[in-house]
Amino acid sequence: MDYVYGPGRNHLFVPGPVNIPEPVLRAMNRNNEDYRSPAVPAMTKTLLEDVKKIFKTTSGTPFMIPTTGTGAWESALTNTLSPGDRIVSFLIGQFSLLWIDQQQRLKFNVDVVESEWGQGANLDVLESKIAEDTAHTIKAICIVHNETATGVTNNLAKVRKILVLKWLSICLRMWLSIIYLRQSHRVLADINNYMHPALFLVDGVSSICALDFRMDEWGVDVALTGSQKALSLPTGIGIVCASPKALEASKSAKSVRVFFDWNDYLKFYKLGTYWPYTPSIQLLYGLRTALDLLFEEGLDNVIARHSRLGKATRLAVEAWGLKNCTQSEEWVSDTVTAVLVPPYIDSTEIVKRAWKRYNLSLGLGLNKIAGKVFRIGHLGNLNELQLLGCLAGVEMVLKDVGYPVKLGSGVAAASAYFQNNTPLIPSRI
Ligand SMILES: Cc1ncc(COP(=O)(O)O)c(C=O)c1O
């Protein structure tokens, strides 16, 4: 076998798959088990309860499906919608593009709202579409919370507000009418016209367990993630969480689904055996440990850590004199930074050289922005000093490819920020 890893550790800074912590690796190093014995269902029960916490939901029903993020997308769509259903979907980068492609191949009527890559979802367009849609032809709104290709985070609370504000304005009109006109019957009919029933489907693949995510509070109907991102596990579990409204929708949704059918899971949940087909025992033990580590650190601390990693990376980019692909502060991502390079440099060369010379793995620019950006993933089980290693590597590569960077400039900016802002490790206080 060719030995391709080089000495020391590979510095893995692609935005997923990410580093797997040692305790998780050890937890997964075990034999297979009989998944129909009492032990695996007992562990599954606790996992199902605990994964709800990463979505911040108490009313949602989670499904841990042996799949990737792409399968989780399909599960969300086919369980809740029927072919021909109109859905509004935001195109802002490669992953939202791929989800839209899947939506079209599943024969939904996709109303695509496109933004320039580097910008967030155009929520003004959503607002007008919702306002115009008094007949409720929109069955779902699909949005990628964090577009991993461009490092753009969408504002989900704002989406929720758009859906709810219409409702509130109608409530106000009802109240005024009841008081002044005493026409409550007419106004109540009016409310039904305005209250928008569209399902709110969110790809949280590169956000959940790293960015602030509140399924219940934001009225998200289906949220999903993949195990290889901020959960810091191997690829192989797609976690999909459905609100009561989404479960209700699944009863009448007519899309063909077999492997991803929530009903098969629900039957086994009732029986207390949980698995309609063979789960990966090793991944379940890994997930148990990954969740334990996240809860030990505290989810809010995990989010704060990602916020520090994101901020420090952006400070380094600025110190190098380079620009973030994300066009405005309102959309910057704390899990991935896409760095624009000057036109005379091919960013693919940066990624190649980082791997070949410094054992550093960076993310490529994808599709429209191939050659124009490289990506630094800063999510999952990662700390400040690890990130500084990556930033030092990026500086050397930039110099290698002819960009006039001052070595140490980005590291200095990031480490000054860390030195002022890094708290004590919560479990060591
Ligand atoms: C935001 C987002 N959604 C979906 C996917 C697809 O996930 P997977 O490659 O696990 O199928 C990715 C992969 O990177 C992603 O970043």
Side-chain angles (χ1 to χ4, degrees):
M1 174 189 147
D2 287 337
Y3 186 67
V4 293
Y5 295 101
R9 293 230 159 186
N10 170 250
H11 296 265
L12 185 58
F13 283 87
V14 292
V18 306
N19 289 296
I20 305 172
E22 291 294 334
V24 172
L25 288 172
R26 283 196 293 276
M28 291 188 301
N29 186 7
R30 59 198 311 133
N31 195 4
N32 278 327
E33 280 177 36
D34 169 12
Y35 72 101
R36 296 291 180 216
S37 74
V40 175
M43 177 170 65
T44 305
K45 189 168 183 238
T46 67
L47 288 175
L48 286 171
E49 268 315 303
D50 282 347
V51 290
K52 283 160 71 169
K53 295 177 192 161
I54 64 173
F55 291 93
K56 293 224 170 94
T57 181
T58 52
S59 59
T61 302
F63 303 97
M64 302 183 295
I65 306 168
T67 185
T68 70
T70 306
W73 279 342
E74 189 165 331
S75 163
L77 296 170
T78 56
N79 278 283
T80 55
L81 297 164
S82 303
D85 277 354
R86 179 182 173 204
I87 60 184
V88 174
S89 209
F90 297 94
L91 169 46
I92 63 165
Q94 179 65 5
F95 293 99
S96 38
L97 175 74
L98 290 172
W99 199 15
I100 287 167
D101 175 55
Q102 186 187 72
Q103 290 154 12
Q104 288 167 337
R105 285 155 72 180
L106 287 166
K107 305 275 184 265
F108 303 121
N109 169 14
V110 191
D111 192 342
V112 178
V113 180
E114 190 165 0
S115 301
E116 203 181 310
W117 289 27
Q119 294 184 357
N122 189 334
L123 300 184
D124 294 338
V125 173
L126 176 66
E127 191 160 5
S128 47
K129 282 187 189 290
I130 291 289
E132 282 161 14
D133 187 36
T134 49
H136 295 168
T137 61
I138 303 172
K139 301 298 177 206
I141 291 156
C142 295
I143 191 164
V144 173
H145 186 196
N146 185 78
E147 174 51 77
T148 323
T150 53
V152 163
T153 303
N154 284 309
N155 186 338
L156 299 185
K158 206 164 164 187
V159 176
R160 174 65 177 161
K161 232 183 241 166
I162 289 170
L163 295 174
V164 167
L165 269 184
K166 280 274 136 203
W167 162 242
L168 286 180
S169 72
I170 290 311
C171 282
L172 184 66
R173 281 168 57 189
M174 177 182 80
W175 181 76
L176 290 173
S177 300
I178 288 170
I179 301 284
Y180 296 110
L181 304 171
R182 303 208 176 267
Q183 287 184 333
S184 54
H185 291 307
R186 237 192 64 198
V187 178
L188 278 173
D190 202 21
I191 287 172
N192 287 336
N193 279 339
Y194 278 83
M195 211 171 88
H196 209 289
L199 292 164
F200 184 13
L201 311 186
V202 178
D203 168 331
V205 171
S206 59
S207 72
I208 288 167
C209 289
L211 305 183
D212 188 19
F213 188 86
R214 309 177 198 185
M215 180 164 175
D216 285 358
E217 193 179 318
W218 293 342
V220 174
D221 290 303
V222 186
L224 58 96
T225 190
S227 51
Q228 79 276 20
K229 300 284 187 182
L231 268 165
S232 303
L233 284 165
T235 314
I237 313 182
I239 308 180
V240 180
C241 199
S243 72
K245 184 171 152 190
L247 282 187
E248 197 49 42
S250 75
K251 292 179 189 158
S252 53
K254 296 202 169 40
S255 292
V256 173
R257 53 203 190 262
V258 181
F259 184 73
F260 292 120
D261 198 334
W262 293 346
N263 251 325
D264 293 336
Y265 277 86
L266 293 172
K267 276 184 212 151
F268 282 84
Y269 286 4
K270 266 200 193 124
L271 294 171
T273 48
Y274 294 104
W275 294 103
Y277 29 69
T278 316
S280 160
I281 298 296
Q282 291 77 8
L283 274 175
L284 294 185
Y285 280 98
L287 177 59
R288 178 66 272 156
T289 306
L291 291 172
D292 290 344
L293 290 175
L294 287 167
F295 299 152
E296 179 190 282
E297 185 178 355
L299 274 179
D300 290 343
N301 294 326
V302 171
I303 291 163
R305 173 167 53 80
H306 282 88
S307 155
R308 287 195 299 282
L309 296 171
K311 175 81 181 164
T313 308
R314 293 190 290 278
L315 286 171
V317 172
E318 201 183 318
W320 298 330
L322 292 174
K323 287 216 160 12
N324 196 325
C325 174
T326 316
Q327 292 181 14
S328 156
E329 191 66 22
E330 67 175 302
W331 298 308
V332 291
S333 164
D334 286 333
T335 55
V336 55
T337 300
V339 185
L340 282 165
V341 298
Y344 61 89
I345 290 172
D346 177 359
S347 66
T348 309
E349 269 312 302
I350 293 181
V351 176
K352 263 194 208 159
R353 202 167 173 90
W355 193 76
K356 284 190 173 173
R357 190 163 191 209
Y358 303 108
N359 206 0
L360 168 64
S361 294
L362 299 169
L364 286 162
L366 301 173
N367 196 337
K368 268 191 198 181
I369 48 175
K372 297 180 182 161
V373 309
F374 67 91
R375 292 173 300 149
I376 302 175
H378 31 83
L379 72 163
N381 192 271
L382 183 72
N383 65 29
E384 288 79 359
L385 296 194
Q386 282 172 285
L387 181 67
L388 290 177
C390 164
L391 299 177
V394 171
E395 289 179 355
M396 292 190 283
V397 186
L398 285 172
K399 217 168 168 63
D400 286 356
V401 297
Y403 180 72
V405 68
K406 181 168 179 275
L407 288 180
S409 56
V411 171
S415 53
Y417 174 77
F418 282 148
Q419 202 269 323
N420 281 318
N421 293 283
T422 306
L424 296 175
I425 296 166
S427 59
R428 296 187 185 171
I429 295 174

